[in-house]
Amino acid sequence: MTTAAKTLSREPGPVLVESPTFDVERVRRDFPILNQKVRSKALVYLDNAATSQKPQPVIDAITRYYQSGNANIHRGVHFLSEHATGEHEAAREAVREFINAARTEELIFVRGTTEGINLVAQTYGRAHVGAGDEVLVSAMEHHSNIVPWQILCEQQGAKLRVIPINDQGELLLDEFEKLIGPRTKIIAVAHVSNALGTINPIREIIRIAHAHNVPVVVDGAQAVPHIKVDVQDLDCDFYAFSGHKMYGPMGIGVLYGKYKLLEAMPPYQGGGDMIRSVTFEKTQYNTLPYKFEAGTPDVAGAIGLGAAIKYLNSVGIENVAAHEHELLEYAMQALSKLPGIRIIGIARNKAAVLSFVMEGVHPHDIGTILDQEGIAVRTGHHCAQPIMQRFGIPATVRASFALYNTKAEVDALVAGIKKVQEVFA
């Protein structure tokens, strides 16, 4: 097996400089869960790509809503309903500012990235993809950006084609452009790979796609918590992300879509709130974004997401990116010195995800031993089985960093890996 030291031929990435005002110890105090011990050891939480921990302001916002503001929204005329409606829509405005959408009507609250992508596949996709057409995805996609398109292709008689990557885990742009043809109707690509951490050149991908008049759906679940996202600057057609990966609650996410595309799309689900009027003969649908928000929404979730955005803004997404980049570089260097460790995914431009395998030891065994040391990592295929097949492995250990992680925690991870090696020596 090749050791990481032999494979780390990474080119320098962008220069990210942490602000002198960023204080990771102060940030950690905002996350009460980090104070606890697990298995009698201080918790080292490195599973942030699965879900991030929640700062006190987010916990407080959700608690406050249920303690003193709980009501259903939009149709009530009483005080609580109007107040809850105001908070819910204020959260939508916070999302708009955070990703620089042109208008709030372009932002649909969904359960998460998965639902956002399924919505596009089953509305825009079914209207625009027919028999013999093609949908492009990349080899590094999460299952949530593969399966919805497979379902669509099976329904419509279309074909799913795959953009290849190189051994560093980088998407091959030349091959990508060669795959685009007159039958290509949708391109769906992750902004950041959840399994490798690769930051794709999404603006260039969109530019190439648009040169062929093909819309682009971006899975932004692993990008929004770590780097600045500007949907107008990217010129993406759709962009989906989840609240729980960016310090917000589970069960809430956002689908951004260009207004003219959303306006032309049929509803995704039928029910209350998505209608303007209903008779047994015909239903008139509501305006955007409510046309796509059938039923009682996750009001507390939206309010919590708004609080998470406010928190991230207070820290500064540039500070987050710089801090996590420094942690990633530190961890890459530390693990590269360990014998028998192979890092999977050494793209030139990476977010704070470090996947690796250890010679002769299954990732699940590594994760179990690390857990005994209080270290939480993710092991398995990370809902990205095709990328595991691409690298000829069944699974990896994935350590993923967030704004509250420290170099001392990376040191704890390295010490834990050494214990694993002692056990299996």
Side-chain angles (χ1 to χ4, degrees):
M1 183 175 291
T2 306
T3 64
K6 294 179 180 176
T7 57
L8 273 174
S9 57
R10 302 170 69 235
E11 296 179 17
V15 176
L16 298 171
V17 180
E18 194 173 302
S19 167
T21 61
F22 181 82
D23 181 348
V24 67
E25 293 302 328
R26 182 186 59 76
V27 167
R28 289 178 65 83
R29 290 196 288 272
D30 293 331
F31 293 81
I33 199 170
L34 299 179
N35 294 325
Q36 69 178 299
K37 291 188 175 182
V38 296
R39 307 193 190 286
S40 302
K41 304 288 179 62
L43 171 65
V44 176
Y45 187 79
L46 302 177
D47 194 19
N48 297 285
T51 196
S52 61
Q53 299 302 342
K54 318 308 174 194
Q56 193 64 50
V58 170
I59 299 169
D60 290 345
I62 297 169
T63 302
R64 187 168 55 248
Y65 168 73
Y66 281 121
Q67 282 184 336
S68 60
N70 178 53
N72 212 331
I73 60 171
H74 289 154
R75 295 175 300 281
V77 296
H78 58 83
F79 174 83
L80 284 180
S81 179
E82 289 185 348
H83 183 72
T85 299
E87 285 206 83
H88 185 264
E89 295 308 311
R92 201 188 308 270
E93 171 61 19
V95 174
R96 188 201 65 74
E97 290 182 5
F98 189 62
I99 63 171
N100 194 32
R103 48 200 297 180
T104 54
E105 292 93 332
E106 296 176 322
L107 301 166
I108 301 162
F109 283 130
V110 290
R111 287 183 297 164
T113 307
T114 298
E115 186 173 58
I117 294 171
N118 275 276
L119 191 160
V120 178
Q122 290 301 311
T123 52
Y124 181 90
R126 292 191 74 161
H128 292 85
V129 177
D133 288 337
E134 297 176 349
V135 175
L136 297 189
V137 299
S138 86
M140 68 177 76
E141 299 305 315
H142 188 284
H143 296 165
S144 65
N145 204 25
I146 298 173
V147 180
W149 305 112
Q150 285 179 325
I151 293 172
L152 174 69
C153 288
E154 289 172 2
Q155 290 169 334
Q156 305 298 98
K159 182 178 181 180
L160 189 71
R161 304 193 70 185
V162 181
I163 308 161
I165 63 172
N166 62 22
D167 290 340
Q168 284 68 48
E170 297 168 322
L171 193 146
L172 298 174
L173 280 181
D174 290 346
E175 297 299 319
F176 161 59
E177 190 158 13
K178 290 176 186 175
L179 286 171
I180 304 175
R183 306 308 300 262
T184 307
K185 300 303 179 184
I186 298 173
I187 295 168
V189 183
H191 196 163
V192 173
S193 163
N194 75 303
L196 308 178
T198 303
I199 302 176
N200 281 318
I202 204 69
R203 185 182 293 104
E204 179 65 3
I205 290 170
I206 293 167
R207 186 195 66 77
I208 293 171
H210 286 180
H212 295 268
N213 295 316
V214 181
V216 178
V217 182
V218 182
D219 173 352
Q222 299 293 340
V224 169
H226 305 293
I227 57 178
K228 176 62 180 173
V229 171
D230 183 330
V231 293
Q232 292 191 77
D233 180 58
L234 292 177
D235 197 26
C236 53
D237 300 283
F238 300 98
Y239 197 103
F241 59 95
S242 301
H244 73 96
K245 295 182 190 294
M246 53 182 292
Y247 313 106
M250 292 183 176
I252 188 74
V254 175
L255 172 68
Y256 159 83
K258 287 181 176 174
Y259 185 86
K260 64 179 181 180
L261 296 176
L262 294 175
E263 182 71 2
M265 286 159 49
Y268 177 50
Q269 296 175 321
D273 217 27
M274 53 77 68
I275 57 89
R276 182 176 292 163
S277 68
V278 177
T279 68
F280 283 114
E281 289 72 32
K282 185 174 177 57
T283 293
Q284 289 187 323
Y285 303 128
N286 208 338
T287 55
L288 291 174
Y290 312 114
K291 180 174 74 172
F292 294 104
E293 295 180 349
T296 297
D298 183 357
V299 180
I303 292 170
L305 175 59
I309 289 172
K310 186 176 181 181
Y311 182 80
L312 266 173
N313 286 335
S314 72
V315 176
I317 195 70
E318 294 81 6
N319 287 331
V320 173
H323 175 69
E324 293 176 350
H325 180 75
E326 187 175 337
L327 279 180
L328 179 67
E329 289 292 307
Y330 183 74
M332 294 277 282
Q333 291 300 321
L335 263 66
S336 70
K337 296 173 183 175
L338 298 176
I341 295 293
R342 177 189 173 199
I343 296 174
I344 306 298
I346 52 172
R348 289 164 292 183
N349 198 9
K350 269 175 66 86
V353 171
L354 180 56
S355 275
F356 63 94
V357 293
M358 182 186 296
E359 188 174 2
V361 184
H362 194 281
H364 288 181
D365 292 329
I366 300 171
T368 300
I369 294 174
L370 290 177
D371 177 58
Q372 295 301 313
E373 300 300 315
I375 302 167
V377 295
R378 179 74 33 166
T379 61
H381 53 63
H382 315 302
C383 292
Q385 286 180 304
I387 196 66
M388 299 295 128
Q389 294 158 8
R390 166 62 178 78
F391 284 97
I393 52 178
T396 72
V397 180
R398 183 185 68 186
S400 51
F401 306 110
L403 57 85
Y404 41 66
N405 290 126
T406 66
K407 288 182 179 177
E409 291 181 315
V410 174
D411 293 340
L413 172 66
V414 172
I417 294 171
K418 289 179 178 177
K419 286 202 172 185
V420 176
Q421 291 176 321
E422 290 171 6
V423 171
F424 285 90

